[in-house]
Amino acid sequence: MLAGGAAALRAAAPGRGLRSSAARTAMPSWVIDRYGLNEVLRFSRDMVLPAIRFPNEVVIKVHAASLNPIDLSMRSGYGATALNMKRDPLKLNSVENEFPLTLGRDVSGVVMECGLSVSYFKPGDEVWAAIPPWKQGTLSEFVVASGNEVSFKPKCLSHTEAAALPYVGLTAWSAINKVGGLNQKNCGGKRVLILGASGGVGTFAVQLVKAWGAHVTAVCSNDASALMKELGADEVIDYKSGNLEEQLKTLPLFDFILDNVGGSTEKWALDLLKKWSGATYVTLVTPFLINVDRLGVADGMLRTGITISSKTVKHLCKGVHYRWAFFMPSGPCLDEIAELVDSGKIQPVIDQVFSFSEVPKAFLKLEGGHARGKTVINVINKK
């Protein structure tokens, strides 16, 4: 079914009943009770089973999950102020209700229960989703998601494979399509540069723009160059082999740059774009959550608004577009990604798979850096 039809079918269907869940009331989960390093991770068998509170929600039995850098950041308390505001905007609950907190954003699993207005899914459907960071996460036996955040799992993938894609896929889709304006119709022949190409978002982004017909230049370390070629990159630049800025200046100018690295790259990367041609630089490294954590909600949002506005105007005067992008949960976008996966144009890139009992080891693996793809948790196999 086409993505447009899928989105339309997510509409309400009055009279749809709930399927009863198991009689037990507790489930196993990995949680944190405070922010900190890896020792704050705690395995619990007593987390309350998630309940449907709104008619558009579904309960998913988690077969597989995966870790993303945001899980490391959230474990340490990064973005807590903004996320707590989103969880409880009217401050109806006490701060203590923030914990215990379950991390994990990706899920591939099976629908167990549907809200009254959910018509697109039914119990037993195999689905995947990326759960927003202000909701309880997926390192658990069950998770609740909005029906608009969920999509049918690609038929060609196992749950373990599918769990590697939703969060990074939607982050890249947000940056490239929603913010950057590229799509299947206008991407052909464009020169695209991916900075930080060997991570989860990067490996997806390389495949996406290549599937849409772009000429792709990927920046990574030399030991990931073979992977980049396998994923379709036309040129691979080793950032360790010399001055990266000087290496890239020897190449023709680009139409689009996706920056997964941030830092000093922003100071020179926009000079690599074609001027006055609609060329766009999109960065996923933004100060929004840091500003809110440090300055509070009002001042943090004000500081962020001033920063993005000044940078946008500054670079627009130089003939290029400057943009920030963020992860956005979207079942309809996952529908489109699933079509690309099932047609063989995008494949998951998995660095290592851990069992559910090895979640702390998986966090340490991710924390070590230099992963080639995703760190996946096989939840259904708890040994």
Side-chain angles (χ1 to χ4, degrees):
M1 180 175 290
L2 295 178
L9 283 173
R10 295 173 195 276
R16 179 64 185 271
L18 298 179
R19 293 292 186 98
S20 61
S21 57
R24 60 192 175 91
T25 59
M27 64 177 181
S29 301
W30 282 96
V31 301
I32 62 173
D33 303 301
R34 66 186 191 282
Y35 297 119
L37 300 177
N38 219 43
E39 65 271 11
V40 301
L41 290 167
R42 174 175 67 87
F43 180 73
S44 170
R45 295 187 180 276
D46 301 317
M47 280 293 285
V48 177
L49 280 172
I52 289 177
R53 296 187 300 159
F54 300 99
N56 68 330
E57 291 182 331
V58 298
V59 175
I60 302 171
K61 182 175 177 61
V62 182
H63 282 233
S66 72
L67 298 184
N68 298 280
I70 190 174
D71 293 303
L72 291 176
S73 300
M74 289 179 64
R75 185 200 65 188
S76 301
Y78 171 76
T81 301
L83 294 176
N84 284 334
M85 178 186 68
K86 178 67 176 178
R87 292 179 185 119
D88 187 19
L90 298 180
K91 296 185 178 180
L92 299 177
N93 298 314
S94 63
V95 176
E96 287 74 16
N97 287 339
E98 178 181 353
F99 300 111
L101 178 64
T102 305
L103 302 177
R105 311 270 53 96
D106 295 294
V107 58
S108 182
V110 175
V111 174
M112 300 300 290
E113 188 172 329
C114 296
L116 287 168
S117 69
V118 175
S119 63
Y120 190 50
F121 304 105
K122 65 182 185 302
D125 286 340
E126 294 191 332
V127 296
W128 65 344
I131 309 300
W134 54 86
K135 295 184 178 181
Q136 288 285 27
T138 61
L139 295 178
S140 192
E141 187 176 12
F142 298 96
V143 69
V144 168
S146 163
N148 286 330
E149 297 163 357
V150 181
S151 169
F152 289 111
K153 178 183 74 66
K155 295 179 178 63
C156 68
L157 299 183
S158 67
H159 286 295
T160 301
E161 293 168 330
L165 286 174
Y167 188 84
V168 296
L170 289 173
T171 302
W173 193 277
S174 168
I176 295 168
N177 176 262
K178 300 300 182 183
V179 175
L182 296 184
N183 55 54
Q184 187 175 1
K185 295 180 179 179
N186 67 14
C187 198
K190 291 191 183 298
R191 290 183 52 80
V192 174
L193 173 65
I194 310 292
L195 297 167
S198 63
V201 174
T203 54
F204 185 95
V206 167
Q207 295 180 85
L208 179 62
V209 293
K210 191 62 186 176
W212 286 345
H215 179 282
V216 184
T217 300
V219 175
C220 58
S221 60
N222 184 60
D223 60 352
S225 60
L227 172 62
M228 292 298 102
K229 288 290 186 180
E230 181 183 340
L231 296 179
D234 299 284
E235 294 178 284
V236 181
I237 306 296
D238 176 12
Y239 69 88
K240 294 182 178 179
S241 65
N243 185 292
L244 178 58
E245 179 182 357
E246 296 303 319
Q247 290 186 77
L248 291 172
K249 281 183 176 178
T250 65
L251 303 177
L253 294 174
F254 296 94
D255 298 288
F256 182 87
I257 297 175
L258 175 61
D259 187 355
N260 298 295
V261 179
S264 62
T265 58
E266 188 175 305
K267 297 177 181 178
W268 49 262
L270 285 98
D271 294 330
L272 304 173
L273 291 170
K274 298 176 184 177
K275 307 296 188 290
W276 308 108
S277 66
T280 303
Y281 165 93
V282 178
T283 179
L284 291 167
V285 185
T286 74
F288 172 69
L289 292 179
I290 293 178
N291 284 344
V292 173
D293 281 346
R294 291 178 177 174
L295 304 174
V297 175
D299 289 344
M301 293 179 70
L302 177 62
R303 175 70 62 85
T304 301
I306 292 172
T307 300
I308 182 64
S309 298
S310 62
K311 289 186 176 184
T312 299
V313 172
K314 169 187 172 183
H315 292 295
L316 192 59
C317 292
K318 297 180 180 180
V320 296
H321 296 286
Y322 175 94
R323 299 284 187 271
W324 289 352
F326 304 89
F327 159 78
M328 292 190 293
S330 172
C333 290
L334 281 176
D335 291 339
E336 297 191 57
I337 292 171
E339 290 181 12
L340 290 168
V341 172
D342 279 330
S343 66
K345 295 178 179 177
I346 289 179
Q347 59 181 315
V349 180
I350 297 175
D351 187 73
Q352 192 170 348
V353 179
F354 292 85
S355 69
F356 195 48
S357 63
E358 296 176 314
V359 164
K361 290 183 181 179
F363 269 85
L364 290 176
K365 166 69 177 179
L366 183 63
E367 204 162 12
H370 304 292
R372 301 294 172 252
K374 293 295 297 293
T375 300
V376 177
I377 310 296
N378 190 355
V379 176
I380 202 74
N381 174 15
K382 301 181 179 61
K383 295 182 179 180

